[in-house]
C-alpha cells in the first residue's frame, strides 16, 4: 500500500513539473468601463485581438474598452495589417530602398564569395 501511494506522489510531481515547464505567452490586461462606472479587467494574450466591448462583470451591461491606446499598440511583428514593405516605405522612399537593396545584395555576394 505504501508503495502505491509513493508511486502516485511521484507521478503527480512529474506532471506538475510538466505544467510549470510550459512558458506562458505574454499577456496584456485590458480594462472595460460600463455606463455605471464599473471597471472590468480582462486578460488577453499579448497578440490577441482585443474586442472593443465586453459585458460588465457587475451589472452585465455593455462595457466599453477603457484604454484603446493599449489595444492599438504599434507592434509590426504581431499586427498583420501592414506588410514589412509598407512599413519600410513609410520611413524611406522607394529610391532609397532600391539603393539599399543593391548595397545589401552586393554585400551578400561578397560575403558568400569570402565564405567559400
Ligand atoms: Zn457595470
Amino acid at each position: 500500500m505504501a508503495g502505491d501511494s509513493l508511486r502516485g506522489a511521484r507521478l503527480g510531481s512529474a506532471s506538475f513539473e510538466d505544467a510549470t515547464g510550459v512558458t506562458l505567452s505574454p499577456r496584456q490586461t485590458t480594462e472595460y468601463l460600463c455606463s455605471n462606472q464599473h471597471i472590468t479587467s480582462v486578460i488577453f494574450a499579448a497578440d490577441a485581438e482585443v474586442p472593443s466591448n465586453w459585458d460588465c462583470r457587475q451589472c452585465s451591461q455593455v462595457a466599453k474598452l477603457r484604454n484603446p491606446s493599449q489595444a492599438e499598440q504599434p507592434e509590426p511583428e504581431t499586427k498583420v495589417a501592414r506588410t514589412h514593405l509598407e512599413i519600410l516605405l513609410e520611413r524611406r522612399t522607394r529610391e532609397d530602398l532600391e539603393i539599399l537593396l543593391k548595397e545589401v545584395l552586393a554585400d551578400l555576394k561578397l560575403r558568400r564569395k569570402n565564405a567559400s
Side-chain angles (χ1 to χ4, degrees):
M1 274 309 265
D4 279 342
S5 67
L6 253 173
R7 206 178 302 152
R10 213 180 66 81
L11 271 172
S13 67
S15 64
F16 180 72
E17 242 171 56
D18 284 345
T20 52
V22 175
T23 44
L24 290 168
S25 54
R27 303 292 162 104
Q28 58 175 325
T29 307
T30 314
E31 286 184 338
Y32 293 90
L33 191 72
C34 81
S35 53
N36 292 323
Q37 307 298 305
H38 298 139
I39 292 165
T40 304
S41 338
V42 187
I43 295 166
F44 292 101
D47 57 352
E49 203 160 309
V50 177
S52 54
N53 292 317
W54 199 263
D55 286 343
C56 175
R57 280 194 190 132
Q58 289 172 67
C59 66
S60 299
Q61 282 208 44
V62 174
K64 286 206 157 45
L65 192 64
R66 203 183 173 210
N67 40 1
S69 60
Q70 197 187 348
E72 286 166 33
Q73 273 174 0
E75 289 277 352
E77 282 88 5
T78 52
K79 288 255 172 182
V80 280
R82 290 194 306 170
T83 65
H84 284 295
L85 181 64
E86 279 169 332
I87 295 158
L88 270 173
L89 283 171
E90 276 175 22
R91 295 178 190 166
R92 292 167 186 274
T93 64
R94 197 169 273 273
E95 288 77 30
D96 270 353
L97 285 175
E98 298 269 350
I99 293 161
L100 202 70
L101 184 68
K102 269 177 204 159
E103 277 176 10
V104 168
L105 285 176
D107 190 51
L108 256 173
K109 216 182 261 180
L110 208 73
R111 250 189 269 175
R112 265 184 209 153
K113 223 182 256 175
N114 288 344
S116 61

